[in-house]
Amino acid sequence: MPPDVSMATVPPLLEVTDLRVAFHTERGILQAVDGVSFRVEAEEIVGVVGESGSGKSVCLMAVLGLISGPYTHIEGSVRLMGRELVGLPNRELRKIRGRDMAVIFQDPMTAMTPVYTVGQQIVEQIRVHQPLSRKAAKARAIDLLDAVGIGAPAKAADRYPHELSGGMRQRAMIAMALSCNPRLLLADEPTTALDVTVQAQILDLILRLRSEFKSAVILITHDMGVIAEAADQVMVMYAGRVVERGSKNQLFANPLHPYTWGLLASIPPLDGERVHRLPSIGGLPPSLLDLPAGCAFSPRCRDVSARCQGERPVLDRHGDHARACFLPLESVAAQRRAGLAASLQPAEAFSE
Amino acid sequence: MLNTLVRRFAQMAFVMFGISVLVFLIFFATPGVDPAARLAGRNASPEVLAAVRASFGLDQPLPIQYLMMMKKMFITQDLTSFVNRGQMIVPELVQAAPVTISLVVGSALLWVGLSIPIGMLAAAFKDRFLDRVLMGLVIVGISPPVFWLGEITNLITQSRYHDTWLFSWVPPLGYIPFSEDPWGWFKCLVLPCANVAVLYIGIYARLLRSNIIEANQQDFIRTARAKGLSEWQILFRHSLRTSLITFATLFGLDFGFLVGGGVLLTEVVFGLPGIGKLTYESLRVLDLPTIMGTVLWGAFFVVASNAIIDSLYAFIDPRARHAS
Amino acid sequence: MTRPLLEAIEVSKSYSRGNHVLARFNETVKAVDQVSFTIQEGESLGLVGESGCGKSTLGRCLTRLHAVTAGQILFDGVDLAPLSLRALRPYRPHIQMVFQDPYASLNPRRRIGDLLAEPLRVHHRGSKAEIAERVGDLLDRVGLLPDHVHRFPHEFSGGQRQRIGIARALALNPRLVIADEPVSALDVSVQAQIVNLLLDLREQLGLTYVFIAHDLSVVRQVTERVAVMYLGRIVEMGRTDTVFRAPAHPYTKALISAVPRPDPTGASRAQRIILHGDVPSPSNPPSGCHFHPRCPVAQDRCRHDAPTLRPVGPGRQAACHFAA
């Protein structure tokens, strides 16, 4: 995970260091991503969890180099296989996008151009990066559609996106992303728009492809269940920052940040006892234009102290588990139980 | 397919029937218009008036008159003008049609050929200098009324600067049929076509620009970027292609409208004896048979172009193919 | 057993899609197909299922936002299904809806105070002062502040807007609240707040809920009984705890097992039943049991013989030939 001298011999597949993305808006500067660092090793699945406005999608777009424009400001470093991408001219970035890293979006219906067939869209991507004939590219597209579990792939290639079902469209989208054998796959809520039974199929597919295509995956989701199933490493984001980072097992068994445990606790369980009231996080996600001083989570935090309101906690490591919180580690477990108990009391007064 | 054709045809017949009835009724309901009085001339005696009424069938009940007129228009095709006795309407329309069609096709070529590059460039350079310049020019094109622009064109090319090297080629106002003199035909249409096109270039360039900009906000453009396409590839293959759906739809409607007589003012200003001019002349003298002929012509083209676009729609937009 | 608050008897809703001249060539979509259930006062019933299962259509039929094609909807013993909109008016205040996207149902140009007062005024519930007091009371109930009455909908976040949507539904003291995906548009941390609010309100006001959602864990949290729908039909119904613990219908089993659980050990994944394919289109559902093409235990019989909902245990029904 964080930079380590002993591992410096082989650069990680992706290394993001202190990434900052700001948008200049009419109402002030919006710091969408505020100093995010992480690594992705080959064939690893890194889950990124967060709510709307947490900066998770912006972060992903910045890695792809798809954030540009006169009102944006990007700082920090994004290294893919040792090569710095921030500041690279678009002409160079274009060669990397779609070839070394590819992306799957949430809604495959809107993410595909409606006037071209699925096959044409896959062929287009192949031919941008590889000197293949149209015919050879089409054959490859059909192979890919087959590989992602689309029955009758030759027929499916001649279908338009709207003619396929939601699950098939997302499979086609994945086939397109894999068309140039990318080392890194970025998946932005790939299952959110799908039905539950189809979601299970797609998650299964992503896991299978990791071993078949040897791609690493950055999996963005708001669903802790999806993370628990698919990710190796997890990063929890809040208001543009990483608040907790660790392996999946560490994070679920021993969440160190109050936001993470609040998130985990607020999911109604599917099995076992039903709780009378869900332990919920009070308040609302903050506006990025008007962040509280100190820790961005402090207005919603049950364990807030005076220090949290004046000073921003940085991500500090505890072994290979890291969190950005001032709460003493030894009291975390006790606080968590107390937090659960507190949530059983009537709802707190609601205010902004 | 057959089903669609049948429905289309029925729709077209219905619209044309409705329009013809409306024109017919408006004509007879217009106060102060007594076709018989007009036909009989000034100070005609009541006897003469009655005779005129009888000879033109104006003493029949309205539905009978309407049916007679339709029969003469479509079946015997010997409907004559109320004003110029003996002037047959159908041949008159047939003679005027090529003029209007030449004018409209010429302008359409100009406006499509120019508005697409202008719209694309403006969208590609959105909010930058080139965009501002192009959109400024386009506004200048949209603003002046057609007749004013036409008159100014004539003033410059026919009188004031006609003898300069620049405009000495401009033929006098009027129309030269293609069959008589193809080069003359071309020359006499250049300026009228440009006049019509100026307005439509403006409208279509602006439309295309905003459609492309809208398309650029779509998720699939983000996907195209993520695939590694260049900005120009994205513009041509994705943004333009999807934007052309609206463009083509509107083009069909405007084209039908213009062929149907929408170029009336331009024809009048440039002295082109097309459908529009015919409509204009017949309106001035309230000549019901001719008005009826031109209105039905216009209705036919508007409805027909609508039908053509609808069926072409399936080719431009695959999403429409399975909707039926 | 007392008379149920709401009883749906073989409710069907179909609509036709397509625009063929001959109506019989249009495809008929049976969105809801002979659905029957009862809800006792104070109970809450969950309707779950994937896209196209008809749960939202059913919800709208129950409030008569949609007309019903066939069947009866007995509200407190009165059949609402055949009533005209006018005759429905006295029943409207008793049945209210909460929508997924409250923003779409809140007029953006009106202040929250007006929005909440509107139903009270329409139904003449008291004087101006009384209405103002009631509005303040409603805001307090849903956890908003009194001075929020002066704000506009866009000034609120998603969770707050849903609170406003709930307040509006409660304004007329309804007996039955139909909530259609009330939390699925919200952030996870806010979802739990709204779920808690709905539970509290039910306790305080003795409300009866029909809770429509695709998120099974939320349905489990909120409801006592649940009906699982697939392509317009109820395939299983029973006490929520029992259905979730030991689903009787193979579809319910697969649906529940498919939900990703926040359990890093992967134990739940190991027992997962992964169904093949997508949900078929409701316009052309499979013959016999709609579920048979995806069903892991389907036999020949399922292809032509549609199972009916039958008791499979105390208070429990399933529509499967093989459910024990």
Side-chain angles (χ1 to χ4, degrees):
Chain A
M1 307 281 322
D4 194 317
V5 191
S6 63
M7 290 177 64
T9 46
V10 183
L13 179 65
L14 179 77
E15 184 169 25
V16 174
T17 318
D18 203 23
L19 183 68
R20 288 166 199 275
V21 181
F23 299 104
H24 297 261
T25 72
E26 282 166 20
R27 292 190 292 155
I29 294 174
L30 189 151
Q31 192 73 45
V33 177
D34 190 6
V36 167
S37 305
F38 63 96
R39 272 184 177 199
V40 182
E41 301 292 345
E43 290 177 54
E44 188 177 51
I45 298 186
V46 174
V48 184
V49 205
E51 299 179 299
S52 49
S54 64
K56 57 191 197 301
S57 290
V58 177
C59 202
L60 180 129
M61 289 294 124
V63 167
L64 276 165
L66 283 181
I67 292 176
S68 60
Y71 303 108
T72 56
H73 188 70
I74 301 178
E75 271 178 70
S77 150
V78 175
R79 286 177 170 273
L80 183 71
M81 297 184 276
R83 186 171 180 200
E84 178 60 56
L85 302 186
V86 174
L88 211 58
N90 197 30
R91 178 195 314 270
E92 293 299 313
L93 267 176
R94 243 165 48 208
K95 292 181 193 155
I96 296 169
R97 281 202 293 260
R99 189 189 66 192
D100 297 330
M101 54 181 175
V103 62
I104 308 166
F105 292 109
Q106 172 172 350
D107 185 352
M109 183 69 202
T110 58
M112 291 184 130
T113 309
V115 296
Y116 297 121
T117 62
V118 165
Q120 284 170 335
Q121 303 195 41
I122 300 177
V123 165
E124 182 181 39
Q125 173 158 4
I126 296 174
R127 280 168 51 92
V128 165
H129 298 289
Q130 292 168 15
L132 279 181
S133 71
R134 208 167 280 277
K135 212 171 154 195
K138 177 86 183 277
R140 166 119 180 94
I142 292 171
D143 285 348
L144 285 161
L145 289 173
D146 190 39
V148 296
I150 292 184
K155 250 168 90 186
D158 291 330
R159 291 275 164 88
Y160 290 93
H162 72 275
E163 297 174 306
L164 299 175
S165 65
M168 288 300 133
R169 270 199 292 269
Q170 193 61 294
R171 283 172 196 268
M173 191 77 203
I174 293 174
M176 185 157 80
L178 292 172
S179 61
C180 299
N181 278 317
R183 301 288 307 282
L184 178 64
L185 204 57
L186 303 132
D188 190 356
E189 302 267 9
T191 60
T192 308
L194 305 173
D195 275 325
V196 184
T197 54
V198 181
Q199 179 179 342
Q201 298 167 3
I202 298 295
L203 267 185
D204 216 51
L205 176 67
I206 291 176
L207 285 173
R208 189 161 63 74
L209 292 174
R210 183 246 301 252
S211 47
E212 281 175 24
F213 283 76
K214 313 280 180 215
S215 294
V217 183
I218 300 182
L219 177 67
I220 289 190
T221 177
H222 67 279
D223 188 336
M224 278 293 195
V226 171
I227 291 287
E229 297 225 332
D232 304 314
Q233 296 289 327
V234 188
M235 205 161 88
V236 182
M237 288 187 70
Y238 191 79
R241 291 188 160 207
V242 177
V243 293
E244 183 162 359
R245 192 170 67 189
S247 73
K248 172 173 73 183
N249 289 333
Q250 285 170 330
L251 197 103
F252 279 89
N254 186 24
L256 293 181
H257 195 283
Y259 176 65
T260 314
W261 77 61
L263 218 49
L264 284 169
S266 63
I267 307 169
L270 259 182
D271 331 79
E273 266 313 282
R274 256 198 277 184
V275 288
H276 179 61
R277 281 181 64 80
L278 285 172
S280 68
I281 304 173
L284 301 166
S287 157
L288 291 174
L289 284 166
D290 183 25
L291 280 181
C295 174
F297 185 63
S298 60
R300 303 176 76 187
C301 185
R302 284 176 212 284
D303 306 297
V304 64
S305 65
R307 191 179 172 200
C308 305
Q309 286 161 344
E311 196 184 328
R312 289 195 100 176
V314 292
L315 203 62
D316 56 347
R317 268 190 285 161
H318 307 275
D320 49 4
H321 195 164
R323 56 149 204 178
C325 183
F326 294 126
L327 197 63
L329 269 189
E330 48 276 19
S331 63
V332 162
Q335 292 285 358
R336 242 167 75 209
R337 279 194 294 277
L340 272 169
S343 71
L344 300 178
Q345 287 158 14
E348 67 287 358
F350 187 85
S351 63
E352 264 181 289
Chain B
M1 194 60 210
L2 189 70
N3 163 41
T4 325
L5 278 177
V6 168
R7 199 177 51 219
R8 279 281 162 215
F9 195 76
Q11 205 177 354
M12 201 185 276
F14 181 77
V15 169
M16 291 179 63
F17 169 74
I19 288 176
S20 60
V21 168
L22 209 67
V23 169
F24 191 78
L25 290 179
I26 288 173
F27 184 80
F28 281 97
T30 310
V33 176
D34 181 359
R38 197 173 265 279
L39 289 167
R42 270 170 225 272
N43 308 320
S45 65
E47 293 76 38
V48 175
L49 270 182
V52 165
R53 276 205 185 91
S55 86
F56 280 86
L58 293 171
D59 52 351
Q60 305 276 336
L62 285 184
I64 302 293
Q65 281 194 45
Y66 172 80
L67 288 177
M68 289 298 292
M69 183 174 272
M70 288 301 121
K71 183 188 154 215
K72 283 183 178 170
M73 173 94 73
F74 290 109
I75 299 166
T76 53
Q77 304 196 345
D78 58 353
L79 187 65
T80 53
S81 161
F82 280 180
V83 180
N84 305 317
R85 294 217 63 177
Q87 175 68 281
M88 304 253 266
I89 306 299
V90 178
E92 208 175 4
L93 281 172
V94 169
Q95 213 181 355
V99 182
T100 302
I101 291 174
S102 309
L103 175 62
V104 176
V105 169
S107 357
L109 287 176
L110 274 177
W111 103 57
V112 171
L114 287 173
S115 61
I116 291 181
I118 294 177
M120 280 176 75
L121 279 174
F125 291 91
K126 178 178 173 258
D127 292 337
R128 283 192 274 170
F129 182 70
L130 184 61
D131 177 28
R132 301 232 165 91
V133 170
L134 288 172
M135 285 302 109
L137 285 175
V138 148
I139 286 286
V140 171
I142 295 178
S143 308
V146 177
F147 54 87
W148 180 85
L149 194 65
E151 290 295 2
I152 293 295
T153 311
N154 283 340
L155 191 70
I156 292 171
T157 62
Q158 297 288 344
S159 62
R160 185 95 25 111
Y161 297 102
H162 183 69
D163 295 331
T164 61
W165 60 271
L166 194 57
F167 296 118
S168 54
W169 59 271
V170 179
L173 295 184
Y175 181 71
I176 304 160
F178 183 79
S179 52
E180 276 173 28
D181 174 8
W183 178 236
W185 171 81
F186 178 78
K187 285 195 292 187
C188 77
L189 283 171
V190 168
L191 289 171
C193 285
N195 259 277
V196 176
V198 159
L199 169 71
Y200 286 94
I201 289 171
I203 296 174
Y204 279 74
R206 279 164 61 93
L207 173 85
L208 192 65
R209 174 184 179 270
S210 66
N211 273 340
I212 290 178
I213 289 170
E214 197 189 305
N216 282 341
Q217 313 293 318
Q218 301 281 327
D219 284 359
F220 60 77
I221 297 296
R222 189 179 56 177
T223 309
R225 291 215 171 89
K227 281 160 80 171
L229 269 63
S230 74
E231 289 302 308
W232 285 107
Q233 284 171 322
I234 292 170
L235 182 63
F236 273 97
R237 288 195 210 154
H238 295 266
S239 316
L240 178 65
R241 176 66 183 77
T242 44
S243 302
L244 281 180
I245 295 170
T246 334
F247 188 94
T249 312
L250 211 66
F251 172 78
L253 290 176
D254 279 336
F255 189 83
F257 163 73
L258 290 178
V259 172
V263 280
L264 189 148
L265 287 171
T266 311
E267 286 183 0
V268 170
V269 170
F270 288 96
L272 297 171
I275 302 284
K277 184 112 184 295
L278 191 62
T279 315
Y280 174 77
E281 301 295 349
S282 57
L283 279 172
R284 279 198 344 178
V285 294
L286 282 171
D287 183 14
L288 175 65
T290 317
I291 294 174
M292 187 61 87
T294 54
V295 163
L296 284 181
W297 164 278
F300 171 78
F301 273 97
V302 169
V303 179
S305 57
N306 236 322
I308 292 170
I309 302 156
D310 269 18
S311 37
L312 281 183
Y313 210 74
F315 290 98
I316 344 174
D317 189 354
R319 282 166 297 185
R321 274 174 221 175
H322 288 254
S324 62
Chain C
M1 200 145 112
T2 51
R3 184 163 76 186
L5 180 65
L6 185 84
E7 184 169 11
I9 305 171
E10 303 202 337
V11 171
S12 295
K13 167 72 187 171
S14 40
Y15 51 90
S16 75
R17 212 155 59 174
N19 54 355
H20 201 284
V21 234
L22 302 173
R24 71 196 158 95
F25 285 118
N26 287 342
E27 50 182 356
T28 305
V29 179
K30 275 192 183 172
V32 177
D33 188 7
Q34 300 207 346
V35 165
S36 305
F37 60 85
T38 57
I39 310 167
Q40 300 295 327
E41 182 115 44
E43 196 180 36
S44 70
L45 173 77
L47 291 180
V48 299
E50 297 177 287
S51 57
C53 75
K55 55 189 193 298
S56 286
T57 311
L58 178 57
R60 278 154 201 255
C61 286
L62 298 179
T63 54
R64 278 294 314 274
L65 281 176
H66 285 340
V68 175
T69 312
Q72 287 172 284
I73 296 170
L74 300 178
F75 179 76
D76 212 6
V78 183
D79 186 5
L80 302 183
L83 296 187
S84 66
L85 291 182
R86 200 186 156 78
L88 269 173
R89 267 197 78 151
Y91 299 98
R92 289 267 192 231
H94 299 304
I95 308 178
Q96 290 290 319
M97 256 190 116
V98 175
F99 297 97
Q100 171 173 3
D101 178 8
Y103 196 52
S105 61
L106 299 175
N107 183 340
R109 293 203 178 77
R110 303 195 54 190
R111 293 171 199 276
I112 298 312
D114 285 343
L115 287 169
L116 292 181
E118 188 178 32
L120 296 165
R121 272 191 227 120
V122 170
H123 288 272
H124 311 292
R125 297 287 173 89
S127 67
K128 225 171 169 177
E130 283 167 324
I131 288 178
E133 196 191 316
R134 172 86 180 122
V135 168
D137 180 50
L138 283 168
L139 285 175
D140 182 54
R141 274 222 181 280
V142 298
L144 293 169
L145 301 173
D147 62 309
H148 282 157
V149 289
H150 304 298
R151 298 216 193 153
F152 290 97
H154 70 88
E155 295 176 64
F156 293 90
S157 68
Q160 289 174 313
R161 279 183 209 139
Q162 194 53 285
R163 287 172 194 265
I164 297 166
I166 292 169
R168 196 166 65 158
L170 296 179
L172 295 168
N173 283 319
R175 294 170 68 187
L176 177 66
V177 172
I178 296 178
D180 189 0
E181 300 275 8
V183 300
S184 54
L186 305 174
D187 272 324
V188 182
S189 71
V190 179
Q191 273 190 7
Q193 296 172 2
I194 299 293
V195 166
N196 283 343
L197 174 68
L198 287 168
L199 286 171
D200 290 344
L201 289 171
R202 183 175 157 216
E203 220 161 80
Q204 293 158 10
L205 305 171
L207 294 171
T208 307
Y209 285 145
V210 173
F211 192 90
I212 302 166
H214 70 278
D215 185 331
L216 296 176
S217 57
V218 171
V219 170
R220 180 171 183 266
Q221 180 68 18
V222 178
T223 65
E224 275 116 45
R225 278 172 63 234
V226 65
V228 183
M229 293 183 71
Y230 190 77
L231 289 178
R233 295 179 184 163
I234 291 181
V235 295
E236 179 162 3
M237 189 156 53
R239 295 202 59 78
T240 306
D241 285 328
T242 339
V243 171
F244 276 71
R245 193 172 352 98
H249 194 282
Y251 175 65
T252 318
K253 277 182 196 156
L255 190 66
I256 292 171
S257 82
V259 181
R261 281 151 222 242
D263 161 25
T265 60
S268 57
R269 242 180 84 75
Q271 310 163 10
R272 170 160 307 160
I273 305 161
I274 290 193
L275 295 178
H276 293 289
D278 284 70
V279 182
S281 156
S283 62
N284 184 22
S287 62
C289 175
H290 287 345
F291 185 57
H292 83 258
R294 303 176 77 197
C295 182
V297 297
Q299 305 277 319
D300 238 15
R301 172 181 181 195
C302 306
R303 219 165 292 158
H304 31 79
D305 194 357
T308 50
L309 208 56
R310 63 188 171 86
V312 290
R316 227 170 145 203
Q317 294 166 290
C320 177
H321 298 305
F322 310 107

